Amino acid sequence: MLDQLFLRALCVSAFQDCPRRPRADQRLRQDRGPGESTRSPPASHAEAEEARPQEEGRWEMNSTSKPINGWRRYKIGDVFTLTPGFAFKSGDFIESGTPVLKIKNVKAGEVVYDDLSYVDNSFVQSRGNFLVRYGDILITLSGNRFDGSKETWVGKVAQFRREGNYLLNQRLGILRPKDSGAADMRCCAYLMSMDEYQQLFISIATSSGGQANLSSSQVLSAEISLPPLREQQAIACILGALDDKIELNRRRNRTLEAMARAIFQSWFVDFDPVKKKCEVRRVKGEIDDSAFPSHFKLFPSNFEDSPLGPIPAGWRVGTAKDVCEFAYGKALKADQRKPGMVPVMGSNGQVGVHSEPLVKGPGIVVGRKGNPGIITWVNTDFFPIDTTFYVVPTSSEIPLTFLVHALDSLKLASLAADSAVPGLNRNIAYGTQLCIPTQAPLLAFTKHTSAIRDRLQAGENESRALATLRDTLLPKLISGELRVPDAERIVGRAV
């Protein structure tokens, strides 16, 4: 697995192997006469590299120089159309149906699908022109400027890469090429998700009521520079290989998380080991523990009545307050955060990084405001902000690996929804009842799930390193500091 030290060594080694070339801005300062070569573009990347004189460079977005090496400047509207999303009413949203992508689902360079809204399937027919297609580029048309978390800024761009019916909500836009042969959508998505374009979109947005807004005409009038299609495809292939590996890790981690949830459900909600032993005793009159999986011996062979209904004998009913404390997070605004590797946790996951932790990990974060009741596991030391609680076990006998699933099973988000004031009231949450097992099955569960957690963390570490490598390569490819074949060699080592 890639860790940060290996990533650094990989990049250093690869860049040492690469021929050193002047930076684009240095090369662009060289005088270029009116007789600059207009030779036809080479047929392949290899030919392009051989044919390129050492002093040539590429056009950069903020440069006043004319395009060089085939990179051309366009208005976005020359290449793309933009279709704004549909203004669904609050009453249109239901528990299940056709998913709707909202602003919250579009991050910088990524579409997230873990907090979707839904409408009736009939909208697919009546509002089919707002269906998102595989490969579409999505852009947020409302948000903040440079205040607040970067995830809230206006003009975030990401590519949609899923099959199936997804509808687009208002204040999001779909960018589609006018000519399918003119632009590689994945490459363009990478380009427009860069900080330079993020800053461009923020700078041209207009403000209303403290919110920054982009109109279709503003987006389409903005400029973008693109290399020849072959080079676009090469950049998309290089960076896409990293993103594909990151997505594979995500899918693996979802499978691992589902495995841990399934064990918890079987042992501590459905009581499957106890039910099986009761069934054998009913049929055979006696129980032989050697005939069962080894962990069955940790469970009793009968139930007893409780306020929650039948529970395994010897277990007890308690409240959330009996097993943990919900401690308040601490305010940490974006402009107060210092560069570092400590995750800053908000009510729906990580919202940034900081140099110092507030809580030693691993730990559990519970959404208090914004996304109340959302449960998030954090493997490392972390900093929970003031829209969250972090969980402190009341006893060393109650492991965090059990608590994260137990709290999730309590559906705390529904408690927040029933509250008159938006947010999770911890006193109400404290009163929620749950079944508390004896020590032996808790220890066994921790042993089973700790191995799963280790694999989850390894996947997250690798994905983080790959994302860092991707974000390092992109500006170097665009500036001309790194050539396509060299980038291919670096990525080949990483994946």
Short mmCIF file of all heavy atoms in Angstrom, two decimals, residues 192-215:
data_model
loop_
_atom_site.label_atom_id
_atom_site.label_comp_id
_atom_site.label_asym_id
_atom_site.label_seq_id
_atom_site.Cartn_x
_atom_site.Cartn_y
_atom_site.Cartn_z
N MET A 192 -11.07 21.89 -15.26
CA MET A 192 -11.96 22.88 -14.65
C MET A 192 -12.14 22.68 -13.15
O MET A 192 -12.72 23.53 -12.48
CB MET A 192 -13.32 22.87 -15.37
CG MET A 192 -13.26 23.52 -16.74
SD MET A 192 -14.89 23.82 -17.48
CE MET A 192 -15.28 22.17 -18.07
N SER A 193 -11.65 21.56 -12.62
CA SER A 193 -11.70 21.37 -11.17
C SER A 193 -10.44 21.90 -10.49
O SER A 193 -10.34 21.87 -9.26
CB SER A 193 -11.87 19.89 -10.83
OG SER A 193 -10.75 19.12 -11.25
N MET A 194 -9.48 22.39 -11.28
CA MET A 194 -8.26 22.95 -10.71
C MET A 194 -8.54 24.26 -9.98
O MET A 194 -9.54 24.94 -10.23
CB MET A 194 -7.22 23.20 -11.81
CG MET A 194 -6.66 21.95 -12.44
SD MET A 194 -5.50 22.37 -13.77
CE MET A 194 -4.21 23.23 -12.83
N ASP A 195 -7.63 24.61 -9.06
CA ASP A 195 -7.82 25.83 -8.27
C ASP A 195 -7.92 27.07 -9.15
O ASP A 195 -8.66 28.00 -8.84
CB ASP A 195 -6.65 26.00 -7.29
CG ASP A 195 -6.74 25.04 -6.11
OD1 ASP A 195 -7.82 24.46 -5.90
OD2 ASP A 195 -5.73 24.88 -5.41
N GLU A 196 -7.15 27.10 -10.27
CA GLU A 196 -7.19 28.28 -11.13
C GLU A 196 -8.60 28.54 -11.66
O GLU A 196 -9.06 29.68 -11.71
CB GLU A 196 -6.22 28.12 -12.30
CG GLU A 196 -4.76 28.23 -11.93
CD GLU A 196 -4.18 26.91 -11.43
OE1 GLU A 196 -4.96 25.95 -11.18
OE2 GLU A 196 -2.97 26.83 -11.28
N TYR A 197 -9.28 27.48 -12.06
CA TYR A 197 -10.64 27.66 -12.57
C TYR A 197 -11.63 27.89 -11.44
O TYR A 197 -12.61 28.64 -11.60
CB TYR A 197 -11.05 26.45 -13.43
CG TYR A 197 -10.38 26.46 -14.78
CD1 TYR A 197 -9.21 25.75 -14.99
CD2 TYR A 197 -10.88 27.22 -15.83
CE1 TYR A 197 -8.56 25.78 -16.23
CE2 TYR A 197 -10.25 27.27 -17.06
CZ TYR A 197 -9.08 26.54 -17.25
OH TYR A 197 -8.45 26.58 -18.46
N GLN A 198 -11.39 27.26 -10.29
CA GLN A 198 -12.24 27.54 -9.14
C GLN A 198 -12.18 29.03 -8.80
O GLN A 198 -13.21 29.67 -8.56
CB GLN A 198 -11.76 26.71 -7.94
CG GLN A 198 -12.48 27.00 -6.64
CD GLN A 198 -13.89 26.45 -6.61
OE1 GLN A 198 -14.10 25.31 -6.27
NE2 GLN A 198 -14.88 27.27 -6.97
N GLN A 199 -10.98 29.60 -8.81
CA GLN A 199 -10.83 31.02 -8.52
C GLN A 199 -11.48 31.87 -9.61
O GLN A 199 -12.06 32.93 -9.33
CB GLN A 199 -9.35 31.36 -8.38
CG GLN A 199 -8.71 30.72 -7.16
CD GLN A 199 -7.20 30.80 -7.16
OE1 GLN A 199 -6.62 31.53 -7.96
NE2 GLN A 199 -6.55 30.04 -6.29
N LEU A 200 -11.36 31.42 -10.86
CA LEU A 200 -11.99 32.15 -11.96
C LEU A 200 -13.50 32.21 -11.77
O LEU A 200 -14.12 33.29 -11.87
CB LEU A 200 -11.66 31.48 -13.29
CG LEU A 200 -12.43 31.98 -14.52
CD1 LEU A 200 -12.07 33.43 -14.81
CD2 LEU A 200 -12.15 31.10 -15.73
N PHE A 201 -14.13 31.07 -11.48
CA PHE A 201 -15.59 31.04 -11.33
C PHE A 201 -16.03 31.88 -10.14
O PHE A 201 -17.06 32.57 -10.20
CB PHE A 201 -16.08 29.60 -11.18
CG PHE A 201 -15.92 28.77 -12.43
CD1 PHE A 201 -15.40 27.48 -12.37
CD2 PHE A 201 -16.29 29.27 -13.67
CE1 PHE A 201 -15.25 26.71 -13.52
CE2 PHE A 201 -16.15 28.51 -14.83
CZ PHE A 201 -15.63 27.23 -14.75
N ILE A 202 -15.27 31.85 -9.05
CA ILE A 202 -15.61 32.68 -7.90
C ILE A 202 -15.51 34.17 -8.26
O ILE A 202 -16.36 34.98 -7.88
CB ILE A 202 -14.69 32.35 -6.71
CG1 ILE A 202 -15.05 30.97 -6.14
CG2 ILE A 202 -14.80 33.40 -5.61
CD1 ILE A 202 -14.13 30.50 -5.02
N SER A 203 -14.49 34.52 -9.04
CA SER A 203 -14.27 35.93 -9.36
C SER A 203 -15.37 36.51 -10.25
O SER A 203 -15.65 37.71 -10.20
CB SER A 203 -12.91 36.11 -10.04
OG SER A 203 -12.91 35.53 -11.33
N ILE A 204 -15.99 35.68 -11.10
CA ILE A 204 -17.01 36.21 -12.01
C ILE A 204 -18.43 36.05 -11.46
O ILE A 204 -19.38 36.55 -12.05
CB ILE A 204 -16.92 35.53 -13.40
CG1 ILE A 204 -17.21 34.02 -13.30
CG2 ILE A 204 -15.57 35.79 -14.03
CD1 ILE A 204 -17.24 33.32 -14.66
N ALA A 205 -18.56 35.33 -10.32
CA ALA A 205 -19.89 35.15 -9.74
C ALA A 205 -20.41 36.46 -9.15
O ALA A 205 -19.64 37.32 -8.72
CB ALA A 205 -19.85 34.07 -8.66
N THR A 206 -21.72 36.62 -9.15
CA THR A 206 -22.35 37.78 -8.53
C THR A 206 -22.90 37.37 -7.17
O THR A 206 -23.18 36.20 -6.93
CB THR A 206 -23.48 38.33 -9.41
OG1 THR A 206 -24.40 37.26 -9.70
CG2 THR A 206 -22.92 38.85 -10.72
N SER A 207 -23.05 38.34 -6.29
CA SER A 207 -23.51 38.05 -4.93
C SER A 207 -24.93 38.50 -4.72
O SER A 207 -25.37 39.53 -5.25
CB SER A 207 -22.59 38.73 -3.90
OG SER A 207 -21.29 38.21 -3.96
N SER A 208 -25.65 37.71 -3.93
CA SER A 208 -27.02 38.05 -3.59
C SER A 208 -27.34 37.46 -2.22
O SER A 208 -27.30 36.24 -2.05
CB SER A 208 -28.00 37.49 -4.63
OG SER A 208 -29.34 37.72 -4.25
N GLY A 209 -27.61 38.35 -1.25
CA GLY A 209 -27.94 37.88 0.09
C GLY A 209 -26.85 37.06 0.74
O GLY A 209 -27.11 36.10 1.46
N GLY A 210 -25.59 37.43 0.47
CA GLY A 210 -24.48 36.70 1.06
C GLY A 210 -24.09 35.44 0.33
O GLY A 210 -23.18 34.74 0.74
N GLN A 211 -24.77 35.14 -0.78
CA GLN A 211 -24.49 33.94 -1.55
C GLN A 211 -23.98 34.32 -2.92
O GLN A 211 -24.45 35.25 -3.55
CB GLN A 211 -25.77 33.10 -1.70
CG GLN A 211 -25.62 31.87 -2.58
CD GLN A 211 -26.88 31.04 -2.62
OE1 GLN A 211 -27.10 30.15 -1.82
NE2 GLN A 211 -27.75 31.35 -3.57
N ALA A 212 -22.97 33.59 -3.39
CA ALA A 212 -22.41 33.83 -4.72
C ALA A 212 -23.15 32.96 -5.73
O ALA A 212 -23.40 31.78 -5.48
CB ALA A 212 -20.93 33.52 -4.74
N ASN A 213 -23.51 33.55 -6.87
CA ASN A 213 -24.26 32.84 -7.90
C ASN A 213 -23.60 33.00 -9.27
O ASN A 213 -23.10 34.07 -9.60
CB ASN A 213 -25.70 33.37 -7.98
CG ASN A 213 -26.47 33.15 -6.69
OD1 ASN A 213 -26.62 32.03 -6.24
ND2 ASN A 213 -26.94 34.25 -6.10
N LEU A 214 -23.63 31.92 -10.03
CA LEU A 214 -23.17 31.94 -11.41
C LEU A 214 -24.36 31.75 -12.33
O LEU A 214 -25.20 30.88 -12.10
CB LEU A 214 -22.17 30.80 -11.66
CG LEU A 214 -20.75 30.96 -11.11
CD1 LEU A 214 -20.01 29.63 -11.20
CD2 LEU A 214 -20.00 32.05 -11.88
N SER A 215 -24.42 32.56 -13.38
CA SER A 215 -25.44 32.36 -14.41
C SER A 215 -24.84 31.52 -15.53
O SER A 215 -23.62 31.37 -15.65
CB SER A 215 -25.90 33.71 -14.97
OG SER A 215 -24.84 34.34 -15.68
#
